[in-house]
Amino acid sequence: MSFFEERREQALHEVATWASVIRGGAKLTREQLRYLGFGDDWDGWRLPLEGSGSVDLLLDGEFPYSIPRVALVGRPDQLIAPHVEKDGKLCLSGDNGRSDAMRPAEVAAYCYQEALSLVLENEAGRNTDDFHLDFSAYWRRQLENAPAVWVWLGRDQSSRLVAAWHGQAFTLIAENEDDCQSWLNHRFGPKKERSVRSALVVGLDALPSPSDYPVNGGKLRRLIAKSAPDSLAIFDRFVSSMSGNAVVVLGGKTLDGEPAWAPVIVSDGISSSGGKSRAGALRGFRTSRKPPALQVLDRGVKRASPTLVDAYISRLEGGLGEGLAAKRVVIFGCGSLGAGVAKILLQSGIRRMVLVDPENLGWENIARHELGGDSVGKAKATELANRFTLMYPHVREILATVDSWQSLARRDPGVLTEADLILSLIGDWNSEAALNDLQRAPGGAITAPILYGWLEEHAGAAHALAIGKAGSCFRCGFDTTGGATVPATKWTSKGPNVCGGATSVYGAVELAPSQALVASLAIDLLLGRASAPVRRSWLAPRSTIGGLGGRINAAWESVYGDVECGGRMMAAPWPQKVDCSCSSP
């Protein structure tokens, strides 16, 4: 018998000893467990509830390193109560529940007592607020084989007409036809014919409880009349003019203020609750002259299961996704640093991006680049744009050009003038000195800040520097040929020489802090949390730099302070040369 088998047997023995003292409790037989849908690796006990009914305490094959599950038995009155899932399972500890594997009997006793308390609280009606706290979970409850509706509407819950694309597997709801077509083209590839129809969003003053969920046209209209009376007219017009199935998306806010969406499919004929068409209520009216308030009674209504395709916003810092949505970013350089920064910015909410790089991907870079072997020999900018478009279909626009930034500026200067932020991650002195001079030229077209990012040898240090139209410029921290005035690290040897110069040796692990450094400063600039000129630097741990044959530059520490053990990000003010052209009045 293995360690885990022995541990489970001991845990089951302890639980059985505890359960034996509960009057009316009994171990479930193997046949009972199979009838309930549990395999031979499950064990369980049926334990009494106060009043009527009972609960099953169920232990899976991983117990005691898993949480016991509890299900109601013989209590149909509780099946629509809060924290009761499909088949009567009780939600007691949540997906991230933790327990003490060394005290299995105490864990079982705790779960049993929690079940008793939950049933009593539900009977007393003390948990009804939870319907509106975790609204989406209760709306989806007992929705087997329900139509799937994918929602891309952001946080605006005002009542209005929106767009809907009806597919075989799901219906997509978006703000307008352009958004619908754009999302679908990004996600599934361009297609000439995708028919888009109207859908309706109705903003409710209060989200409904399960007893108020619409099951027919009349109940849907009464819900709107109660919780969105100002939207009743637009709802009646929508229903009276619809042809075939249509989607009404009910919107509201949970108790903690988060937006929630509850879509229903409105159709012709018999209602989803199984009742017959309300022809009796319409007798005496011609079909074309039925009052809108009565026409809805002739419609079937079925709850749909919502999927929020912009749910990523809920995992971002408050306001981050929305704050960046309207920003336009241009990135020069799609190498290992630029590609990773571009991905982070898209994941953070940027929806408009231009990628500029004339080079193709080589095999030597796939260990530290967002692209892999399937893109070797292809243009980095184009490959990244194609890949990111599929990965993030909510992005409005990702453009790619395989020209140098200079050629792009001559051909289409609007790309630079319309940018909210330009990132130069080329790592080439000649090119970036030209960019700096263009920004500082009298009457220059570049008004956005430019964020320069570069790595020192072995990615032992990285720098993110934002330069604006005034103050110190990019040249201020370098000598006339691009050598850093005060580098953060010193090295006894450089990377291997190849045609065109030395290369820097580092991998994805060493690169990751540098990507985060540049991306975080870019976000702060776009949100107004930082302003140019500003520099941030990352230094690897002293031990890492030393192990690679380098050291932290003593001159750096004399200027910017002791970096201690390294492995940290720090603010490093950018100097202004007295003899630099940017210091002239």
Side-chain angles (χ1 to χ4, degrees):
M1 185 177 291
S2 70
F3 166 79
F4 288 112
E5 289 173 332
E6 290 182 1
R7 186 73 191 89
R8 188 171 189 277
E9 285 298 316
Q10 177 62 32
L12 291 176
H13 174 74
E14 293 179 30
V15 173
T17 301
W18 162 78
S20 66
V21 304
I22 298 178
R23 181 176 298 177
K27 193 173 191 307
L28 293 171
T29 66
R30 190 60 52 197
E31 290 73 21
Q32 286 176 306
L33 287 165
R34 289 172 183 161
Y35 177 79
L36 295 171
F38 298 99
D40 289 346
D41 57 339
W42 285 74
D43 288 274
W45 283 262
R46 184 155 291 174
L47 307 171
L49 285 174
E50 294 183 15
S52 63
S54 56
V55 294
D56 286 342
L57 180 75
L58 303 161
L59 311 177
D60 66 13
E62 303 301 322
F63 188 77
Y65 298 99
S66 62
I67 303 293
R69 299 171 196 183
V70 182
L72 282 171
V73 181
R75 288 295 301 269
D77 60 310
Q78 286 276 330
L79 293 182
I80 62 169
H83 305 292
V84 183
E85 301 174 356
K86 187 177 69 172
D87 300 329
K89 294 185 180 68
L90 303 182
C91 182
L92 300 177
S93 57
D95 294 336
N96 298 314
R98 295 178 292 181
S99 65
D100 186 351
M102 305 306 293
R103 299 178 178 180
E106 293 180 31
V107 171
Y110 177 83
C111 290
Y112 177 51
Q113 290 301 320
E114 284 289 288
L116 297 179
S117 297
L118 176 61
V119 170
L120 291 174
E121 289 176 355
N122 284 347
E123 288 177 342
R126 289 196 290 268
N127 292 328
T128 54
D129 279 352
D130 293 347
F131 286 136
H132 304 127
L133 185 63
D134 193 8
F135 174 81
S136 295
Y138 291 106
W139 179 265
R140 291 188 180 93
R141 188 168 60 176
Q142 298 178 347
L143 278 184
E144 295 182 2
N145 302 316
V149 174
W150 293 12
V151 180
W152 185 31
L153 292 174
R155 301 178 72 89
D156 181 7
Q157 293 183 313
S158 61
S159 297
R160 64 199 186 279
L161 290 175
V162 293
W165 172 80
H166 294 260
Q168 292 184 346
F170 66 92
T171 297
L172 175 67
I173 305 295
E175 200 61 50
N176 50 57
E177 182 173 352
D178 287 345
D179 282 358
C180 253
Q181 299 287 8
S182 171
W183 196 96
L184 293 166
N185 287 340
H186 289 174
R187 181 65 181 86
F188 300 108
K191 187 176 181 181
K192 290 184 178 180
E193 296 183 4
R194 283 194 174 106
S195 177
V196 175
R197 291 186 273 162
S198 292
L200 179 66
V201 172
V202 176
L204 303 177
D205 295 334
L207 292 167
S209 298
S211 58
D212 296 321
Y213 290 169
V215 295
N216 54 51
K219 195 165 186 178
L220 175 59
R221 191 176 189 277
R222 288 192 294 274
L223 173 62
I224 294 173
K226 175 184 176 182
S227 295
D230 293 342
S231 302
L232 197 57
I234 189 175
F235 170 74
D236 286 341
R237 287 196 300 272
F238 177 74
V239 171
S240 63
S241 63
M242 60 177 275
S243 176
N245 291 355
V247 180
V248 174
V249 183
L250 305 174
K253 293 192 180 299
T254 64
L255 287 183
D256 55 8
E258 289 301 309
W261 300 108
V264 295
I265 306 297
V266 181
S267 60
D268 293 319
I270 299 175
S271 72
S272 61
S273 60
K276 296 181 179 180
S277 173
R278 298 290 299 275
L282 303 174
R283 191 171 297 147
F285 293 98
R286 292 185 180 181
T287 303
S288 61
R289 297 183 179 179
K290 296 174 186 175
L294 292 180
Q295 286 193 37
V296 70
L297 302 180
D298 209 24
R299 304 287 187 179
V301 168
K302 187 173 185 179
R303 273 190 299 149
S305 179
T307 295
L308 307 186
V309 298
D310 58 354
Y312 71 95
I313 294 176
S314 68
R315 298 297 188 267
L316 297 176
E317 174 190 342
L320 183 61
E322 293 177 343
L324 297 176
K327 304 297 184 180
R328 184 183 182 91
V329 169
V330 178
I331 298 180
F332 298 155
C334 297
S336 56
L337 179 59
V341 169
K343 181 181 179 183
I344 294 172
L345 293 180
L346 291 170
Q347 290 173 320
S348 300
I350 290 293
R351 295 190 182 181
R352 289 179 171 84
M353 180 177 287
V354 180
L355 300 172
V356 183
D357 196 312
E359 295 183 353
N360 294 341
L361 184 72
W363 284 108
E364 67 276 6
N365 280 322
I366 64 171
R368 60 189 191 186
H369 202 278
E370 296 299 323
L371 299 172
D374 57 334
S375 295
V376 167
K378 300 176 183 178
K380 288 184 284 188
T382 304
E383 287 292 289
L384 284 172
N386 292 339
R387 184 160 302 189
F388 289 154
T389 295
L390 288 173
M391 293 170 67
Y392 312 115
H394 61 276
V395 172
R396 304 287 185 181
E397 182 181 67
I398 306 179
L399 301 178
T401 179
V402 295
D403 288 334
S404 65
W405 76 260
Q406 296 95 324
S407 297
L408 175 64
R410 288 190 292 268
R411 186 184 74 250
D412 189 3
V415 172
L416 304 186
T417 59
E418 295 170 5
D420 294 290
L421 180 66
I422 297 171
L423 287 84
S424 183
L425 310 178
I426 305 169
D428 176 78
W429 167 251
N430 294 333
S431 178
E432 293 185 314
L435 180 61
N436 174 78
D437 295 348
L438 176 63
Q439 182 191 35
R440 290 307 182 91
I446 299 178
T447 58
I450 299 175
L451 174 55
Y452 299 89
W454 69 95
L455 310 178
E456 296 189 18
E457 190 73 20
H458 294 287
H463 306 276
L465 167 68
I467 295 296
K469 293 286 286 185
S472 53
C473 75
F474 180 67
R475 288 181 177 273
C476 285
F478 299 94
D479 61 28
T480 56
T481 57
T485 305
V486 186
T489 57
K490 288 284 189 177
W491 300 87
T492 56
S493 63
K494 300 290 185 179
N497 285 308
V498 296
C499 182
T503 61
S504 185
V505 177
Y506 57 86
V509 171
E510 295 80 14
L511 179 65
S514 308
Q515 293 173 336
L517 173 80
V518 175
S520 63
L521 181 53
I523 290 169
D524 284 348
L525 291 165
L526 289 166
L527 295 179
R529 301 188 300 207
S531 58
V534 58
R535 174 172 64 166
R536 296 174 187 170
S537 298
W538 156 261
L539 275 72
R542 284 186 189 271
S543 58
T544 300
I545 296 173
L548 295 171
R551 68 181 188 276
I552 293 177
N553 186 10
W556 172 276
E557 292 190 282
S558 69
V559 175
Y560 300 116
D562 182 12
V563 301
E564 300 174 341
C565 294
R568 55 179 288 197
M569 187 182 79
M570 58 186 295
W574 191 244
Q576 184 166 30
K577 284 184 180 178
V578 295
D579 58 347
C580 183
S581 60
C582 71
S583 63
S584 301

